[in-house]
Amino acid sequence: MKKPLLHQWLATLEGKKFASICSEYILAFRSPCIMPEHILLTLLEDENALEPFATCMPVIDDISYRTRDYLSQLPLARHICDEMTGEFAQRFWDRIRAIGEEAGLQNPTSDMFYYVLLQEDDSFAQEILRHYGFVLEDLHSAIVKGVPYHLADLNAPAPKKDGEAAQNGVPEELASLLIELVQVAKDGKMDPLIGRRKEVEELMQTLNRKKKSAPVLLGAPGVGKTAVVEGLAWLVSRGEVPPTMANLRIYALQTGALVAGASLLGEFEQRMQNLLKFIESSPDNVLFLDELQGFMGIGPNGPRSESGSATNLIKPEIASGRLRVIAATTDDDYRKTIALDKAFARRFHPIHILAPSQDETLEILLGLEDAYFQYHGVHFPEPLLKRIISLTERYIPQRFLPDKAIDIMDVVGAKYRLHRNDSQANQAPVATDADVEEAVSKAANLPSIPSAQGENDDFAGLANLEERLKAVVFGQENAIREVARAIRIAKCGLLSERAGTIGNFFFSGPSGVGKTELARQLASVLEVKLIRFDMSEYSTEQMVTRFVGSAPGLVGYDEGGQLTNAVRDCPHCVLLLDEVEKAHYLVHSLLLQVMDNGTLTDSRGIQTDFHNVILIMTGNVGCTEASAKSSRLGFGTSPNAPVDPDIIAAQFRRAFSPEFRARLTAHVIFSPLGLPEVEHIVEAKFARLAKLAKSRNFHITMSPEARTDIAQRAMAQNQGARPVDRILEQEVTSVLAQLMVDGKSRRTLTVVLQDGKVVLQQG
Amino acid sequence: MANQPNHTTKVTTTVRTERELRPPQMYDVVLYNDNVTTMEFVVALLMTVFEYDREAAVSKMLQIHHSTSQVIATYPKTVAEYKKQEAEAFKTEWGYPYCRLEIVPHGGEAHP
């Protein structure tokens, strides 16, 4: 028996302690004999044996818990042997001795215990150790080499990142908080700087100030504030900066990581102090706070608390000039959060970043083309980039260049990248106009955008606008001509100053002559949405607030206005305001600025753009008077006799203020419908019904007499063409439906006039 | 474990392969019938080593008597080994060397 070494160890204090804890576990779980799990639990209780878990301490509790759980599920034994004897114990010590001899060690180490436990087949200990990542071979080589074994840490940063951090001299505890932009640029992971030299120059000047060397970049979202800072880093990485800036290091702060996990009192402050100390350790270090508003008020005591917040900690550092900071935020957020803290705001030097012009944006896109080609594998030729810019300017006016244009480029590229076919890899595809149009229409929430080539896209649907409208709206040639003319002029850009909407129309005319219908058909011909408001709902002063949103402090303030929300969601539309004369006069004054400037500001102060809206207002002001007068004059009693436009115009002048009338593109007067027109309408509506019936295999036709009868009866009701629907439904559609349900009828039917009544005749 | 920095997105992906935690294989202790060993010894063995009460031990013994072999207990591997060792010692003590005990994986193939 060659056990002396091991016996020696078991006789030491350490060994005795081990044996006694182990037997305590055997007794505690009332196991019949020693098992590998008891040894594992004993190991986990020894601090010196926990080294493998150095990087993932929580695992220890997990293993311990699960092992105890396993042991407690086994049946309790009546006879318990709490000594380290038996076949297993024998095998265990034999293996310990074997590995000890291999490693040339006299005393067993904890790694050896883990190693031998891992060798114990069909045991829970082996299973759970494997589960948590112990690898027998790795453990073996670690023991033989005499180095402590460590479980691979799954949450640890990749080794390469550690290397980078070490190079830049960022202390380990700050490595996750900071990204060094110059290094990123050196690694070639940053897009090049195009244009923006003036802004970068100003940025560098401010950074070189003796005190308050803290520029804050202000600009609308998407104009490229972050890009300016990245551009500076890019220039530094290429050595294209004055010598004083050559060694600049720009550290972008991950604001979220600053607070994350700071669970102890003072931990956050400690991090801030470490951060500031590090940044101030070299005059070449600059801290970059993107989205400065997110940095405001963060601190251990929650947002907006004064004491100990991050802003208070860096304020004095900026003022003294020890800390160099670049911040970036939007104008809005600057006003709302940063400017409120006057002491903080005055320590920054604002630099305004304006959106680049279309030409500058084109230059930027051309510069980015290569980077996007590398990533997406699709080319964007210059004409296409121009088109992206013009389309986004036209259809997404609420966002800013260059961001919106780059967005479209990225969306199109992503589509190609997703469906990339590797077999065609030798020939890179080129993005097409259609891709861009699709992406823009999705971004602008439009069903489709005109796909005409080049600069002519405004004229799509305009060429035969009049004909197409006449085909669907009957008897209003005059009105259609007026509307088509005005829209043509506006869309061709021939108005001296295009400040307001595309066109402001007022349709007057008696009820049911097709005012609303024309608006609806115009929208469908121009392929834009129709947004309809019934203005009789806005007849009181209180309701007017719904249009642009409630005043601050009132319920519904956050929701914005119904009109402004609708138009902002869908900026290209036909906006139909029905029965305008019934609305409160305040609504009229609201509409004045829409017609004149094309903007409306809601109660929250958000501007809505109306430049792509065709505004159509309808009303039947003056029509009653006009028709009454004409009938009194004795031109027959027909209520559909032609109305006198002069009378309507006079009434219109009385109902609306001069400034309102002056802003209209056209006041279109709809004439009442005559019998031929109404017959036309009956025919058109019947044709629609016949088409539906045909899909059910019923062929229906209509005799001319029946048509005339329906038209006459509809006209007799003095409601324009509106009764046509009702008569058709009552006398034809319902009968037809009954026949269909009965299933006895023949499949060919004719609508005829029989004894002064409209009936369906079979055959 | 594969740490591959993705050059285009600055994101490092760590692939973690985790094995499912399975309950370990259990082992059956099988006692074979023979014509030499007395019923009293088998009952005593079951009661002392395998912690049967008298009634269960007698009925188990009869089951063995009327068949070739029976599973008398199921344990984790180390316990099964220990119990077999204990039973062997018990056999020697009582002088019944022909009584045959085996350990087989639980749920495995039929015993020979």
Side-chain angles (χ1 to χ4, degrees):
Chain A
M1 298 298 275
K2 339 181 260 175
K3 290 190 200 172
L5 287 180
L6 211 56
H7 275 190
Q8 260 173 26
W9 179 75
L10 280 173
T12 61
L13 206 59
E14 200 184 355
K16 275 182 187 161
K17 195 176 155 203
F18 186 88
S20 88
I21 294 176
C22 202
S23 64
E24 266 172 38
Y25 272 116
I26 299 171
L27 290 168
F29 288 102
R30 293 186 61 186
S31 311
C33 62
I34 184 164
M35 291 166 69
E37 291 74 31
H38 300 128
I39 296 183
L40 179 59
L41 286 175
T42 313
L43 273 177
L44 293 182
E45 208 159 284
D46 184 356
E47 268 179 36
N48 301 324
L50 298 181
E51 205 166 339
F53 304 100
T55 53
C56 42
M57 297 302 264
V59 165
I60 301 171
D61 285 345
D62 226 19
I63 295 182
S64 168
Y65 173 79
R66 288 191 181 200
T67 309
R68 284 160 194 267
D69 192 44
Y70 168 75
L71 285 176
S72 61
Q73 279 168 13
L74 297 175
L76 306 178
R78 258 175 288 168
H79 307 296
I80 295 168
C81 167
D82 66 346
E83 281 176 24
M84 290 206 190
T85 53
E87 211 171 307
F88 160 66
Q90 185 74 39
R91 188 166 60 225
F92 187 80
W93 294 123
D94 285 350
R95 283 174 173 166
I96 289 277
R97 197 176 315 116
I99 183 70
E101 275 168 16
E102 203 177 330
L105 292 172
Q106 291 207 341
N107 284 340
T109 64
S110 57
D111 283 351
M112 289 187 196
F113 280 86
Y114 288 117
Y115 175 71
V116 173
L117 284 179
L118 261 178
Q119 283 182 311
E120 186 62 38
D121 288 337
D122 290 334
S123 70
F124 186 78
Q126 181 194 43
E127 185 69 27
I128 195 158
L129 286 178
R130 276 192 194 162
H131 180 80
Y132 282 101
F134 278 84
V135 180
L136 191 68
E137 292 76 26
D138 295 355
L139 203 47
H140 182 261
S141 60
I143 295 170
V144 174
K145 280 184 201 153
V147 292
Y149 178 74
H150 288 286
L151 274 184
D153 179 13
L154 297 171
N155 302 321
K160 189 171 176 269
K161 207 173 168 190
D162 286 345
E164 275 176 9
Q167 275 173 20
N168 298 334
V170 179
E172 204 179 320
E173 71 268 21
L174 294 175
S176 62
L177 297 181
L178 298 171
I179 294 175
E180 215 279 281
L181 295 179
V182 177
Q183 188 60 42
V184 175
K186 277 183 184 158
D187 293 347
K189 290 176 189 167
M190 199 174 276
D191 294 334
L193 176 76
I194 298 137
R196 296 293 190 198
R197 298 287 163 149
K198 223 172 69 212
E199 285 88 349
V200 173
E201 180 72 29
E202 195 180 347
L203 184 63
M204 289 196 285
Q205 273 176 22
T206 315
L207 282 177
N208 273 315
R209 284 176 56 162
K210 182 166 179 293
K211 284 185 176 180
K212 290 193 201 169
S213 50
V216 55
L217 304 177
L218 295 177
V223 296
K225 298 178 293 294
T226 313
V228 168
V229 179
E230 290 184 348
L232 176 63
W234 185 74
L235 288 177
V236 171
S237 76
R238 294 167 59 95
E240 294 177 15
V241 285
T244 45
M245 313 284 288
N247 297 322
L248 202 68
R249 284 186 294 273
I250 304 173
Y251 292 96
L253 177 67
Q254 312 288 306
T255 314
L258 192 61
V259 217
S263 53
L264 300 176
L265 189 65
E267 201 172 345
F268 169 77
E269 286 87 339
Q270 184 65 52
R271 276 188 205 174
M272 276 303 292
Q273 290 301 343
N274 289 344
L275 177 73
L276 295 178
K277 207 189 285 171
F278 167 67
I279 298 289
E280 289 167 12
S281 66
S282 158
D284 287 327
N285 289 349
V286 173
L287 184 65
F288 174 38
L289 303 170
D290 205 354
E291 311 291 345
L292 184 64
Q293 75 277 12
F295 189 74
M296 296 294 294
I298 60 166
N301 305 331
R304 311 272 169 270
S305 76
E306 277 301 312
S307 64
S309 72
T311 47
N312 280 349
L313 289 170
I314 69 169
K315 244 184 246 173
E317 308 297 319
I318 296 174
S320 68
R322 284 194 296 266
L323 179 70
R324 293 209 283 177
V325 182
I326 305 174
T329 186
T330 64
D331 296 322
D332 263 3
D333 288 315
Y334 184 79
R335 232 182 356 259
K336 276 185 206 152
T337 54
I338 291 127
L340 297 184
D341 189 347
K342 290 198 182 68
F344 189 61
R346 78 178 179 87
R347 284 164 165 97
F348 283 95
H349 171 90
I351 297 177
H352 290 276
I353 310 280
L354 301 175
S357 68
Q358 297 203 7
D359 290 342
E360 285 164 345
T361 309
L362 180 64
E363 213 178 296
I364 293 174
L365 292 192
L366 283 172
L368 291 177
E369 205 268 345
D370 189 50
Y372 277 73
F373 169 68
Q374 296 295 338
Y375 188 76
H376 291 304
V378 55
H379 275 299
F380 295 88
E382 189 175 337
L384 188 70
L385 296 179
K386 273 187 187 158
R387 185 151 167 77
I388 290 179
I389 295 168
S390 73
L391 284 180
T392 48
E393 274 292 80
R394 188 187 312 279
Y395 291 101
I396 319 178
Q398 67 274 30
R399 287 177 54 195
F400 293 88
L401 287 175
D403 178 60
K404 59 184 176 186
I406 296 174
D407 251 15
I408 295 297
M409 214 167 134
D410 208 4
V411 167
V412 172
K415 190 178 129 193
Y416 275 91
R417 184 178 156 87
L418 185 62
H419 299 293
R420 185 158 54 184
N421 196 343
D422 283 336
S423 62
Q424 299 168 347
N426 46 3
Q427 201 181 357
V430 176
T432 64
D433 276 1
D435 300 324
V436 169
E437 279 149 14
E438 190 194 332
V440 173
S441 71
K442 274 182 191 157
N445 186 19
L446 284 172
S448 71
I449 62 170
S451 55
Q453 296 296 312
E455 293 301 302
N456 286 337
D457 49 346
D458 250 359
F459 305 145
L462 287 183
N464 45 6
L465 180 63
E466 228 168 305
E467 284 69 34
R468 290 172 70 184
L469 285 177
K470 273 181 194 164
V472 281
V473 180
F474 302 103
Q476 303 295 354
E477 278 80 6
N478 195 25
I480 291 172
R481 198 163 45 240
E482 280 279 323
V483 171
R485 189 174 56 92
I487 289 176
R488 224 166 15 232
I489 294 173
K491 283 247 177 175
C492 290
L494 293 180
L495 292 180
S496 54
E497 211 171 271
R498 198 176 147 232
T501 58
I502 293 176
N504 310 310
F505 299 99
F506 195 98
F507 292 175
S508 1
S511 168
V513 294
K515 300 188 294 290
T516 308
E517 185 67 13
L518 180 56
R520 185 175 299 136
Q521 295 300 345
L522 185 65
S524 95
V525 168
L526 293 177
E527 292 186 340
V528 293
K529 252 192 190 158
L530 177 81
I531 302 177
R532 184 175 175 279
F533 284 93
D534 200 331
M535 298 310 290
S536 50
E537 287 175 22
Y538 299 89
S539 54
T540 63
E541 196 178 340
Q542 285 75 34
M543 303 307 265
V544 174
T545 58
R546 290 212 324 225
F547 229 58
V548 288
S550 316
L554 295 183
V555 173
Y557 167 63
D558 292 337
E559 290 160 20
Q562 289 179 345
L563 176 68
T564 47
N565 281 354
V567 174
R568 214 175 20 253
D569 288 347
C570 187
H572 291 259
C573 63
V574 172
L575 179 61
L576 173 64
L577 306 178
D578 258 343
E579 324 238 8
V580 171
E581 82 274 9
K582 296 195 178 75
H584 195 262
Y585 74 92
L586 278 176
V587 173
H588 299 172
S589 2
L590 269 181
L591 290 173
L592 289 183
Q593 53 161 319
V594 172
M595 296 196 274
D596 209 24
N597 299 322
T599 56
L600 191 59
T601 311
D602 73 9
S603 58
R604 290 174 299 176
I606 302 172
Q607 277 207 343
T608 308
D609 181 83
F610 280 75
H611 282 109
N612 297 301
V613 167
I614 297 174
L615 177 63
I616 295 180
M617 293 164 281
T618 73
N620 29 33
V621 54
C623 295
T624 340
E625 290 85 349
S627 61
K629 192 162 185 193
S630 47
S631 42
R632 234 197 342 264
L633 282 169
F635 289 112
T637 48
S638 163
N640 295 310
V643 292
D644 186 351
D646 290 343
I647 297 174
I648 292 190
Q651 292 290 334
F652 180 71
R653 273 200 295 278
R654 198 178 297 166
F656 295 100
S657 58
E659 58 268 32
F660 184 89
R661 283 182 275 124
R663 282 169 171 84
L664 288 176
T665 315
H667 174 212
V668 185
I669 298 175
F670 280 55
S671 47
L673 297 168
L675 186 62
E677 286 89 36
V678 180
E679 278 191 34
H680 246 104
I681 292 168
V682 173
E683 202 171 289
K685 301 222 173 201
F686 185 76
R688 226 171 288 161
L689 177 65
K691 204 173 154 196
L692 288 177
K694 203 175 168 191
S695 66
R696 290 265 174 182
N697 267 334
F698 277 81
H699 298 275
I700 55 173
T701 49
M702 184 184 251
S703 76
E705 295 78 31
R707 192 176 65 215
T708 315
D709 179 68
I710 293 174
Q712 273 169 347
R713 278 192 290 144
M715 283 183 71
Q717 295 186 22
N718 197 13
Q719 285 171 353
R722 218 160 263 153
V724 172
D725 271 333
R726 202 162 48 239
I727 295 175
L728 272 181
E729 193 188 314
Q730 279 172 0
E731 300 181 6
V732 182
T733 318
S734 59
V735 179
L736 182 64
Q738 186 64 46
L739 287 175
M740 280 183 181
V741 173
D742 290 348
K744 290 174 191 156
S745 146
R746 278 204 264 159
R747 297 271 161 171
T748 313
L749 300 163
T750 316
V751 182
V752 294
L753 194 65
Q754 217 171 52
D755 305 330
K757 271 189 173 175
V758 172
V759 291
L760 253 76
Q761 203 173 56
Q762 303 207 357
Chain B
M1 233 65 56
N3 294 321
Q4 292 180 343
N6 184 336
H7 293 290
T8 41
T9 56
K10 303 175 202 166
V11 172
T12 311
T13 326
T14 309
V15 180
R16 170 179 179 164
T17 38
E18 190 171 287
R19 300 173 71 254
E20 204 184 323
L21 194 61
R22 287 170 309 191
Q25 172 74 47
M26 300 288 272
Y27 282 78
D28 290 340
V29 182
V30 180
L31 186 58
Y32 289 83
N33 186 15
D34 64 75
N35 297 330
V36 185
T37 312
T38 62
M39 290 181 176
E40 288 76 21
F41 170 74
V42 174
V43 171
L45 177 73
L46 290 175
M47 285 174 63
T48 13
V49 181
F50 296 98
E51 308 190 346
Y52 278 61
D53 57 30
R54 172 160 291 278
E55 218 170 302
V58 170
S59 100
K60 190 53 121 182
M61 178 273 293
L62 285 174
Q63 275 179 31
I64 299 167
H65 182 69
H66 293 298
S67 61
T68 52
S69 66
Q70 283 290 322
V71 175
I72 52 169
T74 306
Y75 294 118
K77 189 180 176 198
T78 43
V79 180
E81 285 168 353
Y82 177 79
K83 285 293 178 185
K84 182 172 182 247
Q85 229 179 10
E86 229 183 356
E88 297 293 347
F90 192 75
K91 268 158 56 181
T92 327
E93 195 182 317
W94 281 54
Y96 288 94
Y98 296 107
C99 175
R100 185 170 151 226
L101 279 148
E102 296 267 306
I103 303 176
V104 294
H106 179 73
E109 310 86 57
H111 340 293

